Amino acid sequence: MHSWTDTLRFAFQPVVNLTTGGVAGLEILARPETGDILAEARRDPELDGRLAVLAVRAAARKETLLPLHVNVFAGTLADLGGLTPLHAAVREAGRLPWEVTIDIGPPYTHVPQHALLEAVSALRAQGFRISADGVGDGDVPLRLLTDMGPDLVKLDASLLARPAAVKAMRTLCEQLGALLSVEGVETELQCAAAVSAGAQLAQGELFAPPARLPAADVYVPPRSPGVVAVPRSGPSVLEFVRPAALLPATASAGQVRALLTGSPEVSGVLLVDAHGLPVRSVHRSRFLLSMSGRYGHALYADRPAAKLGDPPRTVGVDATAWEVLDVVAVGDRGRTSDDVAVVDRTGRCVGVVRLADLVRALAESRVEEAAGLNPLTRLPGSDAITGEVDRRIADGRPFALSWLDVDHFKQVNDGAGFAAGDELIRSVGRALQHAASGTTRVGHIGGDDFLVLAEPEWLDPLAASVLDAPWSAGGRPVTLSLATVLCPPGSVMDHRQAAACLAPLKKAAKSLHGASWVLGRAGLPGHEIRRGSGTAPAQAGCAVAEPGLG
């Protein structure tokens, strides 16, 4: 008599790191030849639990070292109170629980939330990672999502058409300490949208379709220049995490050698204790060199691999790429090529970072940043400022966006000469940079126009520093005009709306005599004249949001 398992096969789809282009894990997908076993599993928790066990066994037969993603319905976990058989299957396969992510999928409706959270807690205590699957296209309550505290949130690609929602989810993930992934990516345009919105991981037909054999090579579209603006503090280390090759701390040198010789892409092995905490780091080249000596294999094969390892270099999940470089710089120069282990808040390893990935990405960001600098002032252009505006909007942070320019600049150039005009522009740029405090960003968008993004409390000292200074070009006195729009959380949706609010304020400031400053508030009509004489247009201001939001 045939069992349903006789016609059940599994496929593997890579989860791709959008920064490194590497495969961060493999999702195991049930592919029955007949029937709809997933619909049955949705109704039958025992069947769903058995599918999870079979998925791990299928991966073990493929001898993949990559981290695994195993799908389980939320109702299954709530009903079974955890997945004890899965833990046993992982152990039998020679894998460690923290190499396996449980993708918890919808439906969540009618699932007892308290029971589900208890099951999630039990899985996490065993060492499994937790992923919230189907977010954006499913029915997961936002409160439950935050209570679960997942390590990974998977969004449906359909949400990419609503970038504000994706960016808001990225902000939530940052607060939860989770990675953001996008599922179902089929086009390069969707991939670019995922990168722009801040997703770190993705999967879909574009990168690699589900296949019977695990794929290590995937297609990742090259980034378009300027798709992502790297903050000055540096990109998060999570953007560069690769899967770690993990073995128990008790592993022998022979076991490590077998892993390294069978997996040429592995640059090193981390030995972890029973809780997933790194205790020793084994570097590929140094280890194999020791083993290849005249008596190396005889001396070390059956001895603990830890004796040929070094203390691990670790950084937290909240570290930046620059902090990883600091860790490398202060250590032994002979270990500069060692992987750096990334650990969560409990010290458990979540992956490794390779120095080459960091250097390449940071160098590219510096090249892109340099390409966007104005050659006259060496200040960034509008893209850098507007990108930061969008990040602050997504983070729900208040900000002030200002536009500064020189009054009658064409007449200044015509009367004093372009050399004097250029020197004036450079001087204004230096003054703005000198006055910038905290997180203030200054940009030169061309000609005599500057953009300044600042916290609202820094406005008065910044304005005074440039408007009170005696400016001149070729001995001719010169005045400046400043227009500012205050943007509380929720008052504008993106940098375009902020710029639209700023345009009439600039016009109002230019209509005043002498050094001028006009200030408005997004979402409210009218404006305030802080500096200058005369009468500015009464209609200056904007109302992109309902009155009261400002």
Side-chain angles (χ1 to χ4, degrees), residues 402-460:
S402 299
W403 191 322
L404 177 84
D405 72 351
V406 178
D407 295 328
H408 312 296
F409 184 63
K410 185 178 185 305
Q411 296 177 21
V412 172
N413 263 350
D414 291 345
F418 71 87
D422 286 352
E423 182 54 39
L424 173 63
I425 295 302
R426 279 192 287 265
S427 298
V428 171
R430 286 194 295 267
L432 286 171
Q433 283 183 293
H434 183 73
S437 302
T439 57
T440 299
R441 298 292 302 276
V442 179
H444 182 190
I445 61 177
D448 61 324
D449 293 315
F450 294 86
L451 277 180
V452 182
L453 177 63
E455 306 288 344
E457 59 266 25
W458 293 106
L459 280 177
D460 287 323

Side-chain angles (χ1 to χ4, degrees), residues 32-44:
E33 293 182 4
T34 60
D36 189 352
I37 197 169
L38 292 181
E40 296 179 36
R42 190 179 293 113
R43 298 187 296 267
D44 184 349

Side-chain angles (χ1 to χ4, degrees), residues 99 119-121 126 134 147 155 199 201 213 310 319 385 446 485 539 550:
E99 297 178 88
V120 168
S121 179
Q126 292 171 359
D147 289 344
L155 294 185
L201 304 172
L213 294 176
D310 299 288
I385 304 301
V485 59
Q539 70 272 21

